[in-house]
Amino acid sequence: RFALRYREVFEAQVRAILRAAAGRKNIRLMFPLISSIDEFMTAKEVVTQCMESLAKEEIPHAFDLQIGMMIELPSVLATLDEFAVAADFFAIGTNDFVQYMTGTDRGNKLVADFYLPYHPAVSRGIKAIADAGSARGIEVSVCGEMAHDPAHIPFLIGAGIRTLSVDPQFLPLVQQSLMSLRLDDAQAYAARMLAATRISEAQKVLETRPGS
């Protein structure tokens, strides 16, 4: 939102990214905190305009890159299919996604107990995002604490997530969790989690997760 309000700052950043990526392959540019198709399309237009400007100035720059979005806000869920057409990839920022879905702040001890990654709304939201990406053939990755937490990896895999973005220090733990997990078990577990409508039900399902 800051970037779209202060376009000159945004354009300078995009131009710098495009110039730094000149001659490189598999370049990805991701926009965070997207709340509407309008915002995403406007941001994409800025990238296109910067590419055209650099071309006119004959400055080497990347011209073949993927543009995706970080999904953190509940407002995106109602228009996922449209976003899946406009974006090249999705990334679910689970820390903020859980906070916004449950109206909590992990840093505020008065409401921190309401921060529940296994909340039915969170689980169904993640599943909806995974399904929308799969339907359009775009990658959906997950980052944040859920991506490296053995308590939640079975659900993510069972829900259709195939890419986890984690800090290198968590790689051994994530690899161990994945190697001990059967896909059919994860899918059956995710189905039970998605069928839960109450937090208490979801918590009981969580206790029966594969590998627990």
Side-chain angles (χ1 to χ4, degrees):
R1 292 171 178 174
F2 176 91
L4 293 180
R5 176 170 294 185
Y6 298 96
R7 291 283 290 268
E8 68 281 1
V9 176
F10 188 27
E11 291 173 2
Q13 292 177 330
V14 172
R15 283 172 60 93
I17 291 171
L18 293 173
R19 293 181 64 181
R24 298 179 182 271
K25 297 181 179 180
N26 301 320
I27 300 300
R28 290 186 168 192
L29 182 62
M30 180 171 64
F31 299 120
L33 212 66
I34 295 293
S35 65
S36 68
I37 293 287
D38 307 73
E39 289 177 345
F40 186 70
M41 297 308 295
T42 299
K44 286 186 66 175
E45 290 171 4
V46 170
V47 177
T48 299
Q49 292 169 1
C50 288
M51 292 172 65
E52 293 174 348
S53 175
L54 290 168
K56 289 181 180 179
E57 298 171 32
E58 298 184 350
I59 297 177
H61 64 280
F63 56 85
D64 182 18
L65 72 165
Q66 291 188 318
I67 300 178
M69 57 182 286
M70 178 78 77
I71 298 182
E72 301 150 292
L73 301 179
S75 60
V76 170
L77 297 179
T79 49
L80 281 172
D81 292 339
E82 289 82 357
F83 275 113
V85 173
D88 294 317
F89 63 92
F90 288 157
I92 307 174
T94 56
N95 292 353
D96 284 338
F97 186 69
V98 175
Q99 289 195 142
Y100 287 121
M101 287 292 288
T102 59
T104 59
D105 179 357
R106 293 181 303 159
N108 185 335
K109 63 181 181 180
L110 297 177
V111 294
D113 290 344
F114 292 93
Y115 180 90
L116 301 171
Y118 56 87
H119 190 293
V122 173
S123 298
R124 295 182 185 186
I126 291 174
K127 176 60 174 173
I129 297 166
D131 287 348
S134 177
R136 287 291 178 176
I138 67 173
E139 179 184 286
V140 180
S141 64
V142 168
C143 63
E145 292 183 0
M146 287 185 71
H148 65 250
D149 190 340
H152 301 298
I153 289 176
F155 170 76
L156 296 175
I157 299 303
I161 299 299
R162 294 294 179 267
T163 303
L164 303 175
S165 177
V166 302
D167 188 282
Q169 66 176 314
F170 297 115
L171 282 177
L173 178 63
V174 172
Q175 290 174 333
Q176 182 179 0
S177 296
L178 293 174
M179 290 175 64
S180 63
L181 186 64
R182 287 171 51 91
L183 181 58
D184 55 350
D185 290 340
Q187 291 173 331
Y189 166 69
R192 296 197 303 273
M193 184 65 81
L194 292 166
T197 58
R198 301 180 63 174
I199 294 173
S200 57
E201 294 173 354
Q203 187 171 18
K204 290 180 180 179
V205 175
L206 181 68
E207 294 171 355
T208 67
R209 67 186 181 275
S212 61

